[in-house]
Amino acid sequence: SLRRQTRYESLVVDGRGDQYQALYLGGQYFINGDKLKLLAGAEYSDLSGGPAGRGFEGVTYLTGIRFSF
């Protein structure tokens, strides 16, 4: 059996499943090369099967700013 990811999904559901699939799509916008950039992404994940047919299906959105000196 498979477990859900521990980062965000464990806050929502506690359980195991038979199949886990995830898809991540993200992008970057360079303001000043690698010294300053904006990042954004979304991850769709699906955990199916397991006891009593319980699972997890959801989307996580991530954003960030990265800078260096």
Side-chain angles (χ1 to χ4, degrees), residues 20-32:
Y20 180 81
Q21 295 181 349
L23 175 68
Y24 179 82
L25 180 65
Q28 317 182 65
Y29 178 72
F30 296 93
I31 297 172
N32 187 20

Side-chain angles (χ1 to χ4, degrees), residues 19-53:
Q19 185 176 23
Y20 180 81
Q21 295 181 349
L23 175 68
Y24 179 82
L25 180 65
Q28 317 182 65
Y29 178 72
F30 296 93
I31 297 172
N32 187 20
D34 278 332
K35 294 187 179 215
L36 180 61
K37 58 185 169 181
L38 302 174
L39 302 103
E43 178 184 25
Y44 167 79
S45 57
D46 180 38
L47 176 68
S48 59

Side-chain angles (χ1 to χ4, degrees), residues 44-64:
Y44 167 79
S45 57
D46 180 38
L47 176 68
S48 59
R54 295 188 64 196
F56 173 82
E57 181 178 10
V59 178
T60 303
Y61 300 100
L62 304 164
T63 60

